[in-house]
Amino acid sequence: MNYKLKIQKVISLFIALQIAMFGLTPVCNADGSGLNEINILNPENSKFTIQTSEAVIDGSLALDENIVTPATTKEYNGIPIFDINGNEGKDYIILMTVELTNESPMKRFKWNYEYGVPYADGTFYSNGGAVYYGETVIPWPEGVDVFVSSNGKDGSWEKVYSCDSLKDKLIEEKREETLWDHSEGIRTYYNLEFDREVTAKYMRLAIREMKPWLGPINMPEIKIFGDVDALPSDFKKINVSAPDCVKVQMFDENLIGKEYGHVGKQITFKAENDEVSQINSVKVNGETIKGINNEYSFTMPDKEVNIEIDAGVSDFENTPLKL
């Protein structure tokens, strides 16, 4: 029985009760960030690469903001063959590297983690465990280190986290989105708190071994959090106001996260209306801009930006029915 997970559930319920009874303010946002934190990643401003004995794997599925589609290590050898630079060595069996477009503040890594059990057809079932000494367990990483770098070059990696074992450190969360499986929306992750906040362009997670056996690691989602106060001065806030009938995606290489744009750079975002609605206008700081194929662009000024989207029922839906 995992008593740690049960205690965490009780604490979560207690906090929710306090909020309901006394109006206390939550200490975190819907994406898991603290009130002064942001997730600095988005699908366009970062790359995620997984390096094992068998292959170098594109891990972009962990950045696509779809918890159902995981990046995976696939199968690998349990003998350490890498040093922290990714060269031949005797330290690590797996290296996972995040590369960002811009240097950004980093203080902790949220690593959604699921163990994969291989099927005969080569696919993997996540959250798979097996009986080990009479208990069902999910294998865990041993000897986990996190390094950061400003340029990703050999010799530039600086250690910011180290843990001998992640056994019993897996945390459960209830996802907000609807997941059509037997899990009732429950997913698992590790929260790796760095020993200090840093500013870097690269982050590398290194694993020395897996216990009690090897198997593919599936990663539906990864996030790196940093403090808003530590953002570079040439990144300014972007606020978006849109009705529920419009879905806005702020994914761009010139953003840190989804809310802070690089001054002087072009910022592109997507705004899509639902099937019975239409977008009437899109304004950036009061000025109307035009889009192509639901994509809109503007140059980030040296000040805060307000994007206002006006939308409503489409003209087609409003056309009277003639018999």
Side-chain angles (χ1 to χ4, degrees), residues 48 118 143 145 210 237:
F48 182 44
D145 298 324
M210 291 292 296
K237 183 79 162 59

Side-chain angles (χ1 to χ4, degrees), residues 218-253:
N218 294 341
M219 292 153 284
E221 183 177 85
I222 60 169
K223 294 182 178 180
I224 303 175
F225 293 103
D227 280 338
V228 171
D229 295 341
L231 289 170
S233 60
D234 56 347
F235 282 80
K236 303 298 181 181
K237 183 79 162 59
I238 299 174
N239 306 298
V240 179
S241 174
D244 292 340
C245 62
V246 176
K247 179 181 178 181
V248 181
Q249 291 184 325
M250 298 295 296
F251 299 158
D252 190 279
E253 65 177 357

Side-chain angles (χ1 to χ4, degrees), residues 279-300:
I279 294 175
N280 299 320
S281 67
V282 176
K283 294 182 179 180
V284 175
N285 284 351
E287 295 187 9
T288 300
I289 62 173
K290 300 296 183 181
I292 300 175
N293 296 327
N294 298 316
E295 289 192 350
Y296 300 81
S297 298
F298 65 94
T299 300
M300 189 70 196

Side-chain angles (χ1 to χ4, degrees), residues 12-248:
S12 297
L13 289 171
F14 175 75
I15 292 172
L17 181 62
Q18 296 293 306
I19 292 169
M21 293 178 63
F22 305 111
L24 299 180
T25 303
V27 296
C28 64
N29 298 310
D31 66 353
S33 63
L35 294 182
N36 195 45
E37 292 180 331
I38 61 166
N39 170 30
I40 63 174
L41 307 180
N42 74 58
E44 297 297 327
N45 77 351
S46 49
K47 298 177 182 178
F48 182 44
T49 305
I50 304 162
Q51 192 172 356
T52 73
S53 57
E54 306 305 307
V56 176
I57 303 166
D58 177 8
S60 58
L61 287 176
L63 297 166
D64 67 357
E65 304 212 330
N66 183 349
I67 197 71
V68 178
T69 56
T72 179
T73 61
K74 302 181 181 180
E75 300 285 0
Y76 52 89
N77 195 307
I79 300 173
I81 60 171
F82 300 117
D83 65 13
I84 189 53
N85 297 307
N87 301 322
E88 184 178 342
K90 298 181 179 180
D91 298 319
Y92 302 106
I93 61 173
I94 298 172
L95 298 176
M96 304 181 190
T97 306
V98 178
E99 177 186 354
L100 287 121
T101 304
N102 298 284
E103 284 199 331
S104 304
M106 303 179 184
K107 62 185 293 187
R108 66 184 178 95
F109 180 51
K110 183 185 178 188
W111 177 22
N112 274 81
Y113 173 100
E114 300 174 355
Y115 178 75
V117 175
Y119 285 135
D121 63 359
T123 60
F124 299 97
Y125 169 69
S126 290
N127 285 339
V131 175
Y132 181 68
Y133 284 99
E135 292 187 9
T136 300
V137 301
I138 297 175
W140 61 88
E142 295 266 302
V144 177
D145 298 324
V146 177
F147 295 78
V148 296
S149 170
S150 59
N151 55 35
K153 295 181 179 179
D154 288 4
S156 68
W157 296 96
E158 176 185 359
K159 187 183 291 187
V160 294
Y161 174 90
S162 187
C163 183
D164 291 337
S165 175
L166 291 184
K167 184 180 181 181
D168 297 328
K169 296 184 184 296
L170 204 58
I171 302 170
E172 284 189 352
E173 66 176 341
K174 173 81 163 131
R175 301 292 299 194
E176 289 190 334
E177 61 265 54
T178 300
L179 301 176
W180 300 102
D181 58 29
H182 66 281
S183 71
E184 298 183 350
I186 300 298
R187 290 294 185 269
T188 51
Y189 70 95
Y190 290 115
N191 182 50
L192 309 185
E193 296 268 2
F194 300 170
D195 57 27
R196 60 197 179 280
E197 185 162 28
V198 294
T199 299
K201 189 176 178 181
Y202 295 80
M203 189 213 77
R204 177 167 287 170
L205 183 143
I207 301 172
R208 296 185 185 275
E209 60 179 321
M210 291 292 296
K211 289 288 186 71
W213 53 76
L214 298 176
I217 300 170
N218 294 341
M219 292 153 284
E221 183 177 85
I222 60 169
K223 294 182 178 180
I224 303 175
F225 293 103
D227 280 338
V228 171
D229 295 341
L231 289 170
S233 60
D234 56 347
F235 282 80
K236 303 298 181 181
K237 183 79 162 59
I238 299 174
N239 306 298
V240 179
S241 174
D244 292 340
C245 62
V246 176
K247 179 181 178 181
V248 181

